[in-house]
Amino acid sequence: MTSASTFTPAKGARNNMVQVFRAFAIIAVVMIHTTPLGNYQVLCRPFINFSVATFLFLSGYLTKIENDNWGEFYKKRIIRVLIPYVIWTVLYTLSSRHLGKLPANLLTAKAAAPMYYIFVYIQFVLLTPLLGKFATSRYQFLGWFIAPISVIVFKYYWLLTGQELNPYVSLIWSDACLGWFTFYYLGLILGNRIIEKNYSLKTLALLYIFSIVLQIAEGYGWLMLGETNCGTQLKLTSFLTSSLFLLIAYAILKSGRFDIKNKFLRMLGDYSFGIYLCHILVMNILGAFVPIYKSIPYPITSFIVVLLSFCSCYIGNRVCGDKYSKWIGLK
């Protein structure tokens, strides 16, 4: 989601695998946004719901909690994503032909789905010094309850009671980082070696498979209650699956024994921020001007969008150069 330059540089196999995980995550993001409703949400989403969690985890994992210049830290990271946020909010607002909504879109991240997660990322950047102290305190364990309790309060209660969430509360919840807290927090703790454990990949893989079964079961439950967004990443079984996926990623990064050198995957990782920002626009253009697109089955549509988004960012980067491409958000 955030660009490679946002992260602390890494070397060798570790750096390769960070890029590979980012590539897998951006493919999953596009697949999420192209997944049909109904049973597809139930059966497919559990396998790809790790996407945003992975981006946030990597951001935390590659962030140092000891910093002598937090002002520079904020300046570098927030401006790096804020300028592309403004540019792409304008683009999405213009494409929707509702220019009058631009001020509201800028303030609420409602221009397009990807904008929201930039808000979430900025919140975590701002909170990093506090989270570092929290993670090293005796109250560290309380951090694991923030996201689950938030989701129970703001999603499960209203779903199970059939009531509508207050519009003002809904607006706050929809822009808050609370539901994603676990993943950035986990990255900070493991990346800064506050907790060091050796996890068995075999055990984690078995638990991961079991968690997917649970997530499918919960998805069916949500669907039976009439919830069309039954594949959402913000449900308890999704937290479990994504956390296990991230522990697998951590075990791989820590061991340094795995090194996927596939050039295309690494390039996808390099351009993942740009793909993240532009893929909804690519989908809208395909839907409006390419009639055959709507008849293409899932997940072929997903890979078409990934490839076209990647090509758009790659060509844009060649035309604009690295410096301006970063400010535009192409890379």
Side-chain angles (χ1 to χ4, degrees), residues 3 6 11 15 23 25 27 50-51 93 129 133 140 158 184 190 203 264 270 274 276 278 289:
S3 72
T6 299
K11 296 181 180 180
N15 185 53
I27 292 171
F50 64 86
S51 57
T93 304
K133 292 181 179 180
Q140 177 198 97
W158 302 100
Y184 188 81
L190 295 180
T203 300
F264 181 67
D270 289 339
Y276 179 80
C278 79
F289 299 104

Side-chain angles (χ1 to χ4, degrees), residues 14 53-65 135 144 180-195 246-247 250 253:
R14 181 171 176 265
T54 300
F55 282 121
L56 294 175
F57 171 81
L58 290 174
S59 294
Y61 185 77
L62 298 170
T63 296
K64 302 302 180 185
I65 60 174
W144 307 118
W180 304 96
F181 189 91
T182 297
F183 310 120
Y184 188 81
Y185 190 62
L186 178 64
L188 277 180
I189 285 177
L190 295 180
N192 286 276
R193 299 183 179 180
I194 297 170
I195 294 177
L246 297 178
L247 290 178
Y250 166 69
L253 290 172

Side-chain angles (χ1 to χ4, degrees), residues 145-157:
F145 295 98
I146 292 175
I149 290 176
S150 298
V151 169
I152 290 171
V153 170
F154 291 105
K155 290 186 73 73
Y156 282 76
Y157 173 77

